[in-house]
Amino acid sequence: MNVIEARRPRHLIVRVDRGEELPAALTHALDEIEARAGWIQGTGTLEAAELAPADPTTPAQTQSRRIDSPCEVVSLSGSIASQNGVSTARLWATLARESELGLQLAAGELLWARAHSLELLVTAFDDVILARVPDGHSRNTVLAAQTGALSTPATSGYVSMSEVASTPHEGATQLAAEPARRQTPIPTRTVVDPSPAQAAQGPAIPQRLPRQAQQPEEVYPEVGDLVTHFHFGDCEVIESDGERIRLRQERDGRVREVALTMLKIEAPTIDPTTSKHRFKLSRKH
């Protein structure tokens, strides 16, 4: 038995648009916001689906059952985990449909589906690594968990498959003060009331003291600085408290929020076009 406690969950609300296909579209959307370990629940309707009944001795794909008519999602659950270094979503569903013989139920692993109207709740675990490993008793895979940071909070806002809303965890304030995150005392912060435009982007990040007040070896991106993020590309810092920053992507203006403790921050250079500091942010682990 493998039991791991997750202490940093994010709750992501996902709307699957009509015609989008599962699990491929869901895996892509979660990978975009770096949610690579978590649990999935959902409800709604499907236009078509392909199910594989449970048989531990046979690969699921060899016994799949195709449903080419609209069906109701009675239950839908699953997980997002890494397999051979790639994020994968596995889903199990119970579906109901009307037929000439009356109401029929079908259940099993959801190998493929085309959504009609589907809503999902994804609980992402930012301090746990989930991986799919071969099962020694069957030809399928099982989940293996260990503590570690594989995902970082990335965004909040419009609720859809291409962008999901992340609700802050009630313990986030306490976790931000963990000794492992910073070896020196955290300076007193001043909270600045957000402008109407900033309020629309989400809760404001408390402002930290100017860089001159920090110890010399602590150099973090500040408001107005530029960064090159390993996943989001070139961005401008619009809010910062020394531990978390909010970025505006240059390519499309989308706002992203990231934890600096999850990133490797290289010494800044001077951007030749704007004469601003530019930081390079890469994955720490």
Side-chain angles (χ1 to χ4, degrees):
M1 184 175 294
N2 181 218
V3 180
I4 293 291
E5 180 181 6
R7 298 188 177 184
R8 292 178 53 201
R10 282 183 288 153
H11 302 292
L12 313 173
I13 303 169
V14 183
R15 185 197 70 213
V16 187
D17 293 328
R18 184 172 184 177
E20 290 189 302
E21 297 183 353
L22 298 175
L26 176 60
T27 300
H28 177 75
L30 295 180
D31 195 58
E32 278 287 304
I33 61 166
E34 301 182 44
R36 302 188 178 97
W39 201 254
I40 304 164
Q41 294 178 297
T43 184
T45 56
L46 303 175
E47 293 181 346
E50 184 177 358
L51 291 171
D55 185 347
T57 63
T58 306
Q61 290 78 0
T62 63
Q63 297 188 39
S64 61
R65 178 186 295 112
R66 179 82 176 212
I67 302 175
D68 287 314
S69 58
C71 50
E72 191 82 17
V73 177
V74 179
S75 68
L76 175 67
S77 63
S79 59
I80 180 78
S82 176
Q83 184 172 353
N84 298 324
V86 179
S87 295
T88 60
R90 289 190 67 184
L91 304 171
W92 284 261
T94 300
L95 307 178
R97 65 170 178 170
E98 290 291 344
S99 69
E100 296 177 354
L101 302 177
L103 184 65
Q104 290 185 332
L105 292 178
E109 182 177 355
L110 189 67
L111 301 180
W112 170 87
R114 184 171 61 246
H116 179 270
S117 176
L118 192 63
E119 298 169 347
L120 305 176
L121 172 63
V122 180
T123 303
F125 308 128
D126 293 327
D127 57 345
V128 169
I129 297 174
L130 291 181
R132 304 194 195 281
V133 298
D135 181 10
H137 303 287
S138 71
R139 301 177 63 180
N140 295 313
T141 59
V142 294
L143 278 181
Q146 67 181 67
T147 57
L150 183 64
S151 308
T152 57
T155 185
S156 60
Y158 178 61
V159 185
S160 70
M161 279 293 288
S162 58
E163 191 173 355
V164 301
S166 173
T167 58
H169 178 49
E170 61 182 1
T173 303
Q174 298 175 355
L175 288 167
E178 289 180 356
R181 293 196 169 198
R182 184 185 289 264
Q183 300 299 325
T184 57
I186 300 176
T188 305
R189 302 168 187 160
T190 302
V191 178
V192 180
D193 291 336
S195 65
Q198 292 174 327
Q201 298 169 354
I205 298 178
Q207 300 296 311
R208 71 184 182 99
L209 293 178
R211 181 177 287 137
Q212 292 78 2
Q214 303 293 317
Q215 294 190 11
E217 65 272 15
E218 293 185 353
V219 181
Y220 294 103
E222 294 183 343
V223 175
D225 288 341
L226 305 177
V227 302
T228 300
H229 189 276
F230 72 94
H231 187 72
F232 303 132
D234 293 338
C235 307
E236 181 182 1
V237 180
I238 58 175
E239 291 185 62
S240 170
D241 70 350
E243 293 176 353
R244 303 181 69 82
I245 56 175
R246 188 165 287 160
L247 308 174
R248 179 182 291 113
Q249 292 180 263
E250 292 183 4
R251 65 173 181 261
D252 56 13
R254 185 175 297 179
V255 175
R256 306 286 192 175
E257 184 176 318
V258 298
L260 291 174
T261 54
M262 310 298 293
L263 300 170
K264 178 181 178 182
I265 306 174
E266 298 186 8
T269 59
I270 300 299
D271 186 85
T273 304
T274 62
S275 299
K276 295 182 178 181
H277 285 94
R278 179 175 290 276
F279 293 81
K280 184 177 180 181
L281 308 181
S282 55
R283 195 191 300 272
K284 182 177 289 186
H285 301 288

